Amino acid sequence: MTSRPEQDQETNGNTVSENSARPAAGGNTRKVFVRTYGCQMNVYDSERMTDVLGPEGFEATNTLEDADLVILNTCHIREKAAEKVYSELGRIRKVKEERAKSGKDMMVGVAGCVAQAEGEEISRRAPIVDLVVGPQSYHQLPGLLDKARSGEKVVETEFDIDAKFGHLSERAQTQVLKRAPSAFLTVQEGCDKFCTFCVVPYTRGAEVSRSVEQILSEAERMAAAGVREVTLLGQNVNAYHGEATDGSSWGLGRLLRRLSEIDGLDRLRYTTSHPRDMDDDLIDAHRDLKSLMPYLHLPVQSGSDKILKAMNRRHTRDDYFRLIDRIRDASPEIALSGDFIVGFPDETDRDFEDTMDLIRRVGYGSAFSFKYSQRPGTPGATMENQVPEEVKSARLAELQALVSAQQKTFNETRLGMVCDVLLEKKGRNEGQLVGKSPWLQPVQLDAPEALIGSIQAVEIVKIGSNSLFGQIIDRQNSHENPRPVTAAMA
């Protein structure tokens, strides 16, 4: 599994987010509160849940206490993920009881990977839960809600990714509605790699790719709704092998080339990749496509050949080095991001130093790092020579210090540079907007709100601890900007 794990206090990211449903078109409305844990694919799934629920009369609320329906879209990557869900359900139970005192009902659902892994156990341990829905079944939410309203305890965790993808093309996003300037688009789900630390093959199933037609249709709707940047998602997104209308199979490189032709869709990204699926055509796409951003998340997990073998990664450190050289030859300005796990069973000081050496040699613009945690049902959980917690903590701190220094150095190379920035939302301060550089860095600048959704040439004038600060180049006088200006080289 290579998708970015749920991020907690050990990482540099947010853990949960709330998602907004589209307002229902007429009729009595009910309110839904969706809390999303984990990776970008869960964010995408939560958005599709609200798409499905909109025609059923639901509109979003950001206030749990106002919700007629609460859905926890869960992630099973991190340690004690299930226990965190049960703890949250305990808090929700109190809210549900308070609403009941005033005669208001509240339905509760658990979706996502914890739902898939725990199934009936959730209903047994948390009686307030009305329905449990696996990540491949959320398109059935309307019918499952009807069953739950009749008093039936609903647990739906059967795998049927094809049905889920087919439903997206038929029903979800049937209306062109205003969207944020950037969006996620799932093109592939599941994993066949069976890394020994990972539960994803058991919770998301085998690798399945959406058809080319489905993806292009959704991307065109996104562009029509104001999306300027799309990030293609998959557990192993560069293993994409979707069927085209003529029956041929397309790889990710060919799909990106076709997406680059969609009018208004000016930026393309993808995540997360496995080193073994990085083929020549995809590498060439980084050389050929101006709309494919110069940023690549390519997890390696460890720099030790012994640990890589124990993880069942099926590549060596030298394989990874050779691949990085090929990628940088094709796209010299590219910034690399990675995932690292410290403290995998039987990891010695020498193995850990091999990982540190790999990080020094590659040089990352950003990285995500984690202590190994035993996931029930995975081979790693029963391996001998589990590393003591205090050793894992010390190694994690040392590794994070190194990658933080590399990120700081990379950010400092942007100072004085002029680059494209996609302006996405208002900032914290009056008159401030927040955007995104080609290298996925947040950029803050002073600009009118009317420029949200445009791509502007921006000079980077200051480097902050977590973001860049810039100013728009004076020569620009239009916020339409249908195509991005050429990004400055790193």
Side-chain angles (χ1 to χ4, degrees), residues 339-369:
D339 287 347
F340 298 94
I341 295 173
V342 302
F344 191 78
D346 205 28
E347 182 188 70
T348 64
D349 288 342
R350 175 60 185 272
D351 296 321
F352 176 66
E353 178 53 37
D354 284 346
T355 298
M356 297 291 281
D357 175 70
L358 181 145
I359 294 171
R360 294 186 194 101
R361 288 176 59 177
V362 172
Y364 289 91
S366 62
F368 297 84
S369 50

Side-chain angles (χ1 to χ4, degrees), residues 235-299:
Q235 262 80 36
N236 286 311
V237 69
N238 57 342
Y240 175 79
H241 53 278
E243 184 177 352
T245 53
D246 62 0
S248 62
S249 179
W250 287 23
L252 188 63
R254 186 172 182 182
L255 178 66
L256 286 163
R257 294 174 194 278
R258 176 63 183 85
L259 288 168
S260 72
E261 299 172 0
I262 295 177
D263 187 43
L265 204 58
D266 299 307
R267 287 183 162 199
L268 298 171
R269 302 182 188 271
Y270 61 91
T271 196
T272 295
S273 303
H274 194 290
R276 293 179 55 239
D277 294 317
M278 204 76 196
D279 63 21
D280 290 340
D281 188 50
L282 181 55
I283 293 172
D284 289 346
H286 280 278
R287 179 196 63 204
D288 300 337
L289 299 179
K290 290 183 179 180
S291 58
L292 181 55
M293 293 294 95
Y295 174 91
L296 175 61
H297 187 64
L298 190 63

Side-chain angles (χ1 to χ4, degrees), residues 101-117:
K101 291 177 183 178
S102 57
K104 297 178 181 178
D105 292 331
M106 174 187 279
M107 298 188 72
V108 179
V110 177
C113 291
V114 172
Q116 185 70 41

Side-chain angles (χ1 to χ4, degrees), residues 33 46 50 66 196 217 282 312 343 382 384 400 424 475 486:
F33 176 93
S46 290
T50 57
D66 291 342
T196 56
S217 178
L282 181 55
N312 195 35
T382 57
E384 297 180 352
Q400 287 184 334
E424 295 183 305
R475 67 174 179 269
T486 301

